[in-house]
Amino acid sequence: MALTIINNVSIKGIAAAVPKETVLNNNEKFSTTTGVYERRIAPSSVCTSDLCEEAANKLISDLNVDKNDIGILVFISQTPDYQIPVTSTILQHKLNLSQSCICFDVPLGCSGYVYGLQIISSLISNGSIKKGLLLVGDTVSKQINPKDQSTEPLFGDAGTATLLEYNTVASPIYFNLGSDGSGFKTIIIPDGGYRNRITESSLESYIIDGLERRKCDLHLEGIDVFNFGVSKVPKIINEFTNHFDIDLDNIDYFVFHQANKFMNDKIYKKLKINNDKVLTSLHKFGNTSSATIPLTIIHNLDNIKKDTNLLFCGFGVGLSWGSCYIKSDEIYCSKLIEI
Amino acid sequence: MELNDFITHFVEQFDETPSVTITGDTDFKNELPEWDSLTAMSVIAMIIDEYDVSLKGEELKNCTTINDIFELVKSKK
């Protein structure tokens, strides 16, 4: 368990961008169970980085940020522009950031936002870097088979930007990150990496458990994801809160990865969380992978007041998970961008 | 744990399938048109809630009849 405390870092602002195109789910049982009623789908010409770029520009403009102060940019996504190079350097160029800016990608999904907060705040914490830009998002619609009824109606697209700053009077941020690679096949695209290179057979459809898939599509083993969510996630949160003596009754907002309503509700029930404090966006945007936590904040809140107690938890593909507790400074929440 | 109780709990996860058609010998994947990934998730959740047992996806895939699931859950208690 990677339990850490990071000092001297504040989250200053969050922005999110989604595609304008809205797709409605037409299976009532699916929507009622998973909680997803509609999703935003990016056209083929729009990549995750484009959505993140829009969000970043809005945040930089709204907060009047001096771009030369941004010393680190991390792009967290499983839908990069290219296999190589990293997308973060492309974004550094498009955003016209300094060439002294550290840029790298982290190809995590559901746990990505919390990992990203930890990574950037760790690097800012000693004061060498003034500001960091965390760009997190996914266009999962490009990875799923449109005929796979277990994934197609679940996922949507979004890109977000979060600004972090060095601040000697910030409250500490508490993190708990972890991994379990034994579950790597739970959420996987089997072909296209170097373990199984793309061949003609990667593009051939097959039916498994009544679901149509190809080896180049996203595979979701629903039962194993569910088991992981309802058994592991409450344990992770309890270990986190016990270790750092965090009282869940004091939390103002819980923002969990928006995976599916049936599973998430079981998690909240196990943790005895007051549902009034739980923020959701699943019904409107579906599962947007790494973007769900910041997108959910933008969907629900106009601004976050100083000393708001926030608990975030992202969990899933890897298997990987991260939770954090933040006693916030004032956090600017930009109006949702639709492009 | 009793098979009849298990079947009752199993049946409760279905909205449209008449309960009389479901027995221990029912091949749930092939004989129940309502069986899909969502019903499977409900059944898994029911087993966790009622019997405090977690079944893996692979284990459920290896079951053919409801009786197979029952025996598997019983063996894990």
Side-chain angles (χ1 to χ4, degrees), chain A residues 108-273:
Chain A
L108 283 169
C110 325
S111 63
Y113 187 67
V114 178
Y115 265 72
L117 288 177
Q118 218 271 3
I119 290 166
I120 291 192
S121 55
S122 299
L123 289 166
I124 287 180
S125 176
N126 69 4
S128 320
I129 297 172
K130 277 197 216 168
K131 291 185 168 74
L133 200 53
L134 176 61
L135 301 184
V136 174
D138 266 304
T139 42
V140 191
S141 66
K142 298 176 197 281
Q143 294 178 315
I144 51 99
N145 188 319
K147 294 184 186 167
D148 182 344
Q149 284 308 297
S150 73
T151 53
E152 194 272 338
L154 196 56
F155 290 100
D157 302 338
T160 69
T162 300
L163 183 73
L164 292 97
E165 281 185 9
Y166 177 67
N167 176 4
T168 53
V169 296
S171 294
I173 306 179
Y174 299 82
F175 289 96
N176 176 16
L177 308 184
S179 325
D180 181 5
S182 73
F184 79 94
K185 286 185 183 172
T186 305
I187 304 166
I188 190 170
I189 297 176
D191 287 10
Y194 292 91
R195 183 65 68 194
N196 304 313
R197 300 195 72 169
I198 289 275
T199 63
E200 278 164 12
S201 79
S202 310
L203 302 170
E204 285 165 8
S205 289
Y206 58 92
I207 309 280
I208 185 154
D209 297 330
L211 302 167
E212 181 167 335
R213 290 175 173 170
R214 300 167 302 174
K215 284 188 268 182
C216 59
D217 296 324
L218 183 71
H219 285 50
L220 194 69
E221 294 304 320
I223 289 169
D224 295 334
V225 172
F226 181 76
N227 275 332
F228 169 64
V230 301
S231 60
K232 190 78 176 178
V233 173
K235 270 197 200 127
I236 295 160
I237 298 282
N238 284 331
E239 275 162 348
F240 175 53
T241 53
N242 287 339
H243 183 88
F244 288 123
D245 208 18
I246 296 164
D247 186 350
L248 289 181
D249 288 340
N250 290 339
I251 300 295
D252 296 306
Y253 297 116
F254 293 92
V255 193
F256 279 64
H257 168 56
Q258 303 287 288
N260 87 58
K261 186 177 187 305
F262 187 72
M263 179 172 76
N264 279 35
D265 283 350
K266 295 270 179 205
I267 294 170
Y268 307 144
K269 192 173 170 191
K270 247 186 164 170
L271 289 168
K272 299 186 177 52
I273 285 174

Side-chain angles (χ1 to χ4, degrees), chain A residues 27 29-31 33-34 149-150 208-209 211 221-224 226-227 230-231 260 262-263 266 269-270, chain B residues 13 15 29 34-42 44-46 48-49 53-58 60-61:
Chain A
N27 182 326
K29 178 184 171 185
F30 186 92
S31 292
T33 307
T34 62
Q149 284 308 297
S150 73
I208 185 154
D209 297 330
L211 302 167
E221 294 304 320
I223 289 169
D224 295 334
F226 181 76
N227 275 332
V230 301
S231 60
N260 87 58
F262 187 72
M263 179 172 76
K266 295 270 179 205
K269 192 173 170 191
K270 247 186 164 170
Chain B
Q13 311 313 314
D15 295 324
K29 280 176 265 179
E34 213 183 323
W35 180 264
D36 61 13
S37 56
L38 295 179
T39 337
M41 205 170 55
S42 294
I44 293 288
M46 176 277 287
I48 292 172
D49 289 341
V53 162
S54 264
L55 292 191
K56 296 196 183 102
E58 200 59 37
L60 191 63
K61 278 181 194 173

